[in-house]
Amino acid sequence: MSREKEDSEKKNNNKLVFLNHVDTFHGRHISKYLTNSVIGATLEENEEEEEEAQEAEEEAAFKRSKGPVYDIVGTYREAEAEKPKWIKDAIKSYTKNQLLELALECDYIIYDICEDPSQIDEATWLLSAIHAELENIERKKVFILISPLMTWAKSKALDPEDPEVFFTEEDFRKRKPHPNFKDHCSAEKLIIKLGKSDKKKLSTWCVATGLTYGLEENIFHSMFKAAWHNGAEIQCFGEGTNVLPTIHVEDLAQVLQNVIERKPKQRYLVAVDDSKPTLYEIARAVSKQLSTGKVRKLNKEDALLTRDIAQADFDMLLLDLRIEGVQVKEGMRIKWRAETGIVENMPALVKEFKAERKLNPLRLCILGAPAVGKTTVAQQLAKHFRIHHLKIKDVIDDGIDALVSSTQPGPSLCRRRACPCSSRPTRTRPRRTRTRRPWRRRRRTAIC
């Protein structure tokens, strides 16, 4: 009976969190992280040494089994989506009144407008409806908006003479959005505005997030997919010199937990890691880890014709923004999954990608008598499964060619004019024709 009583008290102390679209990339991993997190974990200020890291993990697991956690309710994006195991409840088709009723039952409301622009109107309407019901609300509500950093895409440099000066959260009033993300910027302004009216009953925050990566991948999935399918070259849109602000999706979930529990004074937050990678560096890192290491730069006009990427993702991949999240670094307690960024953690990210997508490399060896069709069958299997076709003869020939090329003399030792290894420039002035007699022709020996 005592154990049942403890379980009931634990459930009563759980906090209810509303999260829209629990079946999307952000929704799945944010909800999964919050359900496995103990309430108040970010408020503990214990600094552990490296030798005590294992003990701290065991203690955290013990607290997770005993302490209260977050219960997640929300909505689905796809009508045919299956309910994740860690979700308490979610609705597929609903009216505005049903949505408002469900949100009012929750302590915290998290709305993500990064992956589906149609959620902008729904998020602004819901917050306006909650704001209109403040007089009838007993428990305080916390509303958190997750918005893309594309609302900063057209911001002017702080220092025209030094364009590499970083933006921070304090410069959010100077931001200028991308033309396709003006509605996102308007939603950010409304969220901040409505949170100032009655802070005792309603608090609002806006978390502007960088491009998220990790696990099964989202916006960078096309790169990982092409590399896994043995693409000879990974495509890079444009020159690839643009700087992309990024963050691991589980690190973004930790930022949200810190906002819920620590309640920072800064109402507008920037969630990014410490890296400042370019698009070309990301593509090259993916190619090196999964493919040949080669990257092909594709014109922006031709890139728009590709079917693997949507227009919104294309705009995000061309973002060029240098920004830092000072509040996230200095004012939050985060156990970073990938603090140094996507390029530095590429080996671990590839392992995550394979595990989440359940990708296992396929290796086949075909044996048989001569001339029975081994090569033909191997070519067809390699084409069907999109795997490398290795021929022993080609491997031997490539090895011999490499040895021959390494042992050839340098250009300075070659004396033949017509030899391709000669470094001397060819004559462009026409030669004078001479009539030589056959009995006076001299034999020349060429040394090459």
Side-chain angles (χ1 to χ4, degrees):
M1 294 297 293
S2 61
R3 181 175 298 179
E4 294 178 357
K5 185 177 180 180
E6 289 179 0
D7 293 340
S8 62
E9 290 179 356
K10 175 184 173 182
K11 292 181 180 180
N12 293 332
N13 293 330
N14 290 356
K15 296 295 184 180
L16 200 59
V17 179
F18 175 89
L19 179 62
N20 69 315
H21 287 180
V22 294
D23 56 330
T24 60
F25 177 73
H26 284 176
R28 282 193 304 272
H29 298 295
I30 291 174
S31 60
K32 187 174 183 179
Y33 179 84
L34 291 177
T35 53
N36 293 327
S37 301
V38 180
I39 296 177
T42 62
L43 301 177
E44 300 174 1
E45 299 292 345
N46 297 330
E47 297 181 358
E48 302 290 343
E49 300 293 336
E50 293 183 0
E51 58 184 3
E52 299 177 356
Q54 185 175 359
E55 297 179 2
E57 292 180 0
E58 294 176 355
E59 183 180 357
F62 176 78
K63 290 182 178 179
R64 189 177 296 111
S65 63
K66 295 296 182 180
V69 294
Y70 296 97
D71 292 331
I72 306 296
V73 298
T75 60
Y76 291 105
R77 181 177 183 177
E78 302 295 338
E80 299 177 355
E82 296 182 359
K83 177 185 175 182
K85 297 179 181 179
W86 54 88
I87 298 296
K88 183 178 181 180
D89 189 18
I91 54 178
K92 294 182 178 180
S93 58
Y94 50 89
T95 62
K96 288 186 175 180
N97 291 331
Q98 292 175 340
L99 180 65
L100 177 61
E101 183 179 355
L102 180 61
L104 290 176
E105 295 177 358
C106 301
D107 302 287
Y108 308 101
I109 303 165
I110 302 176
Y111 245 90
D112 177 27
I113 60 174
C114 296
E115 300 186 75
D116 188 0
S118 65
Q119 293 295 286
I120 298 175
D121 294 336
E122 186 173 290
T124 53
W125 175 86
L126 180 60
L127 182 60
S128 300
I130 294 175
H131 185 267
E133 295 288 335
L134 288 180
E135 296 180 356
N136 303 324
I137 293 178
E138 298 179 358
R139 294 184 301 173
K140 182 179 179 179
K141 304 299 178 184
V142 174
F143 192 99
I144 303 174
L145 182 74
I146 307 174
S147 181
L149 277 174
M150 292 299 293
T151 56
W152 294 67
K154 298 300 180 180
S155 302
K156 295 182 179 180
L158 297 176
D159 187 357
E161 297 180 357
D162 187 5
E164 295 188 358
V165 176
F166 297 125
F167 287 99
T168 63
E169 300 99 331
E170 297 179 356
D171 303 316
F172 77 97
R173 291 184 178 86
K174 302 177 183 178
R175 70 190 187 282
K176 291 186 178 180
H178 186 279
N180 295 337
F181 290 81
K182 290 183 178 179
D183 293 338
H184 295 75
C185 189
S186 300
E188 292 178 357
K189 295 177 180 178
L190 180 63
I191 298 302
I192 300 299
K193 178 181 177 182
L194 294 181
K196 297 178 180 179
S197 58
D198 191 352
K199 296 183 180 180
K200 294 182 178 181
K201 291 188 175 182
L202 178 64
S203 296
T204 60
W205 280 271
C206 179
V207 178
T209 178
L211 277 63
T212 50
Y213 59 87
L215 300 171
E216 75 266 26
E217 294 300 331
N218 186 27
I219 191 171
F220 299 111
H221 175 252
S222 59
M223 293 185 183
F224 282 80
K225 180 181 178 181
W228 178 257
H229 286 168
N230 299 322
E233 297 174 329
I234 304 301
Q235 293 181 353
C236 175
F237 303 145
E239 293 297 323
T241 57
N242 54 308
V243 177
L244 294 176
T246 57
I247 188 172
H248 195 284
V249 64
E250 289 193 354
D251 293 334
L252 173 61
Q254 293 189 64
V255 171
L256 297 175
Q257 185 185 5
N258 275 265
V259 173
I260 291 174
E261 297 177 356
R262 286 180 170 263
K263 299 177 177 56
K265 295 181 179 180
Q266 182 74 24
R267 298 293 173 170
Y268 192 97
L269 303 171
V270 174
V272 293
D273 52 34
D274 287 344
S275 66
K276 303 293 183 295
T278 62
L279 178 60
Y280 181 84
E281 291 173 349
I282 296 175
R284 185 177 59 181
V286 175
S287 183
K288 281 185 177 181
Q289 197 66 31
L290 283 174
S291 185
T292 61
K294 298 180 181 179
V295 177
R296 180 168 65 94
K297 296 181 180 179
L298 192 66
N299 294 332
K300 298 179 181 179
E301 293 77 12
D302 297 336
L304 288 172
L305 301 178
T306 58
R307 300 179 180 179
D308 295 338
I309 187 169
Q311 178 64 46
D313 294 340
F314 177 77
D315 295 335
M316 291 183 183
L317 289 175
L318 294 181
L319 174 64
D320 188 8
L321 180 64
R322 293 169 174 82
I323 191 168
E324 288 185 348
V326 178
Q327 180 64 36
V328 172
K329 291 181 181 179
E330 300 178 357
M332 293 187 179
R333 188 170 182 265
I334 298 177
K335 187 179 180 181
W336 289 91
R337 183 74 174 266
E339 185 176 6
T340 54
I342 182 172
V343 176
E344 296 293 333
N345 295 275
M346 188 56 65
L349 296 177
V350 169
K351 291 182 180 179
E352 291 181 7
F353 179 73
K354 293 179 181 179
E356 290 292 326
R357 296 277 178 177
K358 298 180 180 179
L359 300 176
N360 297 316
L362 182 63
R363 300 179 179 91
L364 299 176
C365 179
I366 301 177
L367 303 175
V372 296
K374 299 187 298 296
T375 302
T376 303
V377 173
Q379 289 176 349
Q380 294 176 354
L381 289 174
K383 183 178 180 181
H384 177 75
F385 290 106
R386 296 182 180 181
I387 58 179
H388 292 292
H389 179 204
L390 302 179
K391 302 178 184 178
I392 296 179
K393 184 179 181 301
D394 293 344
V395 174
I396 295 174
D397 292 341
D398 292 342
I400 293 174
D401 293 341
L403 290 174
V404 171
S405 61
S406 63
T407 56
Q408 283 184 349
S412 60
L413 300 178
C414 184
R415 298 180 181 177
R416 185 185 296 179
R417 291 186 176 183
C419 183
C421 67
S422 176
S423 60
R424 293 178 295 182
T426 57
R427 295 184 59 176
T428 57
R429 186 173 59 184
R431 295 177 177 269
R432 291 184 298 175
T433 58
R434 293 181 181 179
T435 303
R436 294 181 178 179
R437 297 179 182 180
W439 56 82
R440 290 187 178 182
R441 184 174 297 171
R442 294 162 50 180
R443 183 178 297 176
R444 297 182 179 179
T445 59
I447 302 175
C448 185

